[in-house]
């Protein structure tokens, strides 16, 4: 209980620090004003060139805050990219917004209008007024969770990620999702959650749908499912949102101890290539051209030392100079390359040239002097 209270307090505090805006936009499709809440990343104003993924949160009147808090929390610790969170308030319009035809079970009338409002009005409005990246995740709960999945059937699908919290599926949705996710070529993340104490009818449909989706074999689809022990229809929301974020953005996170031991230390190819591939995938999937983290450079360096893959240090050093030019990182890696490949004089000069650069972690001026002096002593320079 203390853990959940602490987590709630942290999320509330993070959300309070972030920039939350309340806006009203007029929808021609709906013929009325709609209220939205927008949380901008805390460094949005200072990073004037940066673009951000978007979370579109239905049931924004109660679902916006837990999503926004988790997004701010996880992005602060670099476990996901900073993102713009947009909540659509539906307190008075929820049933009409999600309305579907009782014969073909697709949005119709007010539901079709709301469907077009999001795709043809809200997203263009956000693209025009904010610095958005082309990676959009939709979040819904029960009735609105069913609704977000209709966007999968557009070509191309409107969203790249779908977070389904105890979805109350329309008839035929399980079969339609299975067919669509089996054939879709667009990279897609699909998360679904229920709990052992969820509403019985909803839980049964979700369990059935999971059995169908678990059989899907499509490299373009990343499917995740959770069945939380003891979670009710409402309490599962607090457990599912952070889990969905962790799953969807797993490739984005810094190299972990587990990855270091299981992947880096067992790699057959280039460690430098591993790092480049990781960030190429991040750019390809999320449209983000991120500076490579110092943590990831250090993980690759540790693996180079362990496996004695000294040639990887040359490219790693040049990359570090490009990504973090004011630090000692690049000079140290190049110095290690020269030192281990038979060029001690170059190594000594490279260490010496690092004296005026910023220290990073255990890479200090004292260490550079120590490395330089050791070469002098060994070779008499």
């Amino acid at each position: 209980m203390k853990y959940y209270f602490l987590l709630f307090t942290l999320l509330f505090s993070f959300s309070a620090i972030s920039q939350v805006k309340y806006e009203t936009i007029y929808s021609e499709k709906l013929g009325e004003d709609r209220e939205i809440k927008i949380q901008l990343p805390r460094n949005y104003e200072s990073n004037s060139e940066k673009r951000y993924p978007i979370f579109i949160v239905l049931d924004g009147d109660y679902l916006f805050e837990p999503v926004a808090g988790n997004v701010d929390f996880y992005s602060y610790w670099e476990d996901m990219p900073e993102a713009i969170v947009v909540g659509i308030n539906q307190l008075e319009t929820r049933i009409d917004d999600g309305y579907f035809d009782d014969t073909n079970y697709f949005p119709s009338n007010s539901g079709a209008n709301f469907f077009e409002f999001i795709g043809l009005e809200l997203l263009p409005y956000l693209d025009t007024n904010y610095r958005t990246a082309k990676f959009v995740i939709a979040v819904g709960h029960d009735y609105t969770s069913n609704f977000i999945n209709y966007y999968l059937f557009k070509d191309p699908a409107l969203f790249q990620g779908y977070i389904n919290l105890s979805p109350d599926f329309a008839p035929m949705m399980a079969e339609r999702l299975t067919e669509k996710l089996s054939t879709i070529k667009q990279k897609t993340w699909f998360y679904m959650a229920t709990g052992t104490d969820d509403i019985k009818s909803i839980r049964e449909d979700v369990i059935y749908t999971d059995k169908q989706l678990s059989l899907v074999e499509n490299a373009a689809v990343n499917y995740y499912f959770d069945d939380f022990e003891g979670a009710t229809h409402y309490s599962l929301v607090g457990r599912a949102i952070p889990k969905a974020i962790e799953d969807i953005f797993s490739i984005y996170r810094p190299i972990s101890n587990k990855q270091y031991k299981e992947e880096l230390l067992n790699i057959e190819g280039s460690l430098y290539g591993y790092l480049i591939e990781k960030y190429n995938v991040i750019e390809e999937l999320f449209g983000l051209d991120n500076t490579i983290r110092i943590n990831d450079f250090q993980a690759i360096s540790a693996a180079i030392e362990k496996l004695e893959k000294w040639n990887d240090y040359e490219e790693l050093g040049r990359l570090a100079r490009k990504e973090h030019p004011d630090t000692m990182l690049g000079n140290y890696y190049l110095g290690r390359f020269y030192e281990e490949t038979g060029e001690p004089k170059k190594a000594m000069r490279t260490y010496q040239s690092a004296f005026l650069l910023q220290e990073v972690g255990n890479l200090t001026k004292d260490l550079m002097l120590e490395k330089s002096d050791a070469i002098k002593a060994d070779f008499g320079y």
Side-chain angles (χ1 to χ4, degrees):
M1 180 64 72
K2 289 182 179 178
Y3 169 80
Y4 288 112
F5 176 77
L6 176 60
L7 180 60
F8 175 81
T9 303
L10 286 171
L11 293 180
F12 179 82
S13 300
F14 272 80
S15 184
I17 293 171
S18 301
Q19 307 173 55
V20 178
K21 304 176 65 177
Y22 297 83
E23 297 185 5
T24 300
I25 63 174
Y26 178 75
S27 167
E28 292 186 0
K29 299 294 181 182
L30 298 171
E32 62 184 16
D33 290 332
R34 277 304 173 98
E35 294 179 351
I36 59 174
K37 293 184 275 191
I38 303 174
Q39 176 177 278
L40 298 176
R42 57 180 65 204
N43 296 318
Y44 182 85
E45 298 299 336
S46 59
N47 292 334
S48 59
E49 301 299 319
K50 190 172 182 178
R51 294 189 173 274
Y52 302 89
I54 310 173
F55 281 74
I56 298 294
V57 184
L58 275 62
D59 286 321
D61 37 287
Y62 71 88
L63 202 54
F64 172 81
E65 281 76 14
V67 174
N70 275 282
V71 167
D72 191 44
F73 183 82
Y74 276 87
S75 62
Y76 181 85
W77 297 110
E78 295 189 324
D79 281 340
M80 65 164 287
E82 292 179 301
I84 298 171
V85 183
V86 180
I88 306 172
N89 290 342
Q90 296 178 272
L91 186 61
E92 305 294 335
T93 61
R94 189 177 196 258
I95 300 303
D96 289 339
D97 289 345
Y99 182 82
F100 56 83
D101 186 89
D102 59 5
T103 55
N104 66 15
Y105 310 114
F106 277 109
S108 65
N109 301 328
S110 58
N113 292 337
F114 185 69
F115 184 89
E116 292 188 344
F117 159 67
I118 291 178
L120 299 179
E121 295 180 327
L122 178 59
L123 286 179
Y125 172 84
L126 296 172
D127 290 339
T128 299
N129 291 280
Y130 299 96
R131 299 191 307 277
T132 59
K134 298 303 179 184
F135 188 81
V136 186
I137 297 173
V139 188
H141 182 217
D142 59 51
Y143 185 65
T144 62
S145 176
N146 174 73
F147 188 84
I148 65 176
N149 297 310
Y150 289 124
Y151 291 99
L152 259 174
F153 305 110
K154 288 181 63 67
D155 191 19
L158 187 64
F159 305 126
Q160 289 71 49
Y162 301 78
I163 297 179
N164 287 267
L165 307 172
S166 185
D168 187 2
F169 287 131
M172 296 179 62
M173 183 58 83
E175 291 73 21
R176 285 170 167 166
L177 285 174
T178 302
E179 180 180 357
K180 183 63 178 180
L181 292 175
S182 297
T183 58
I184 195 169
K185 296 181 180 179
Q186 178 180 334
K187 196 73 172 176
T188 303
W189 287 258
F190 192 93
Y191 176 88
M192 184 169 65
T194 185
T196 56
D197 295 337
D198 200 353
I199 295 170
K200 183 179 179 181
S201 59
I202 291 179
R203 175 175 169 76
E204 289 174 350
D205 281 349
V206 171
I207 295 296
Y208 169 77
T209 303
D210 170 59
K211 290 180 179 178
Q212 304 304 307
L213 297 184
S214 296
L215 300 176
V216 170
E217 295 183 0
N218 185 347
V221 174
N222 295 274
Y223 172 61
Y224 310 98
F225 173 69
D226 281 310
D227 184 7
F228 294 105
E229 182 66 32
T232 68
H233 184 64
Y234 300 102
S235 67
L236 69 85
V237 169
R239 295 164 69 177
I241 292 172
K243 185 61 164 53
I245 288 174
E246 290 176 3
D247 288 339
I248 292 173
F249 293 104
S250 59
I251 186 64
Y252 183 87
R253 293 200 295 271
I255 296 171
S256 65
N257 288 334
K258 184 173 185 290
Q259 289 173 314
Y260 172 78
K261 293 176 181 178
E262 296 181 2
E263 298 177 24
L264 294 187
L265 295 187
N266 293 294
I267 199 168
E268 294 184 2
S270 166
L271 288 161
Y272 168 82
Y274 178 98
L275 183 65
I276 292 298
E277 177 64 16
K278 175 181 176 67
Y279 281 82
N280 282 345
V281 170
I282 290 173
E283 182 174 5
E284 177 186 347
L285 296 182
F286 308 126
L288 303 172
D289 184 14
N290 281 11
T291 299
I292 297 176
R293 302 179 186 93
I294 289 177
N295 175 88
D296 290 340
F297 272 109
Q298 292 173 328
I300 298 297
S301 171
I304 289 174
E305 295 286 342
K306 187 78 171 178
L307 301 177
E308 299 185 355
K309 287 178 170 282
W310 308 122
N311 287 333
D312 278 346
Y313 258 143
E314 182 177 23
E315 292 178 300
L316 191 71
R318 300 193 192 286
L319 181 63
R321 279 182 169 177
K322 175 186 173 185
E323 296 285 304
H324 300 281
D326 298 328
T327 73
M328 294 180 172
L329 216 57
N331 282 52
Y332 177 74
Y333 297 154
L334 287 171
R336 288 293 293 133
F337 168 71
Y338 295 134
E339 189 177 358
E340 296 294 342
T341 56
E343 298 188 74
K345 185 173 288 188
K346 275 190 177 181
M348 182 183 68
R349 291 172 179 169
T350 304
Y351 291 136
Q352 289 172 344
S353 66
F355 289 172
L356 298 178
L357 299 173
Q358 294 176 12
E359 297 181 346
V360 180
N362 65 337
L363 302 185
T364 64
K365 291 180 173 62
D366 288 342
L367 175 63
M368 298 304 157
L369 183 61
E370 179 184 319
K371 299 290 287 183
S372 176
D373 286 348
I375 294 173
K376 283 182 182 179
D378 288 342
F379 294 93
Y381 294 131

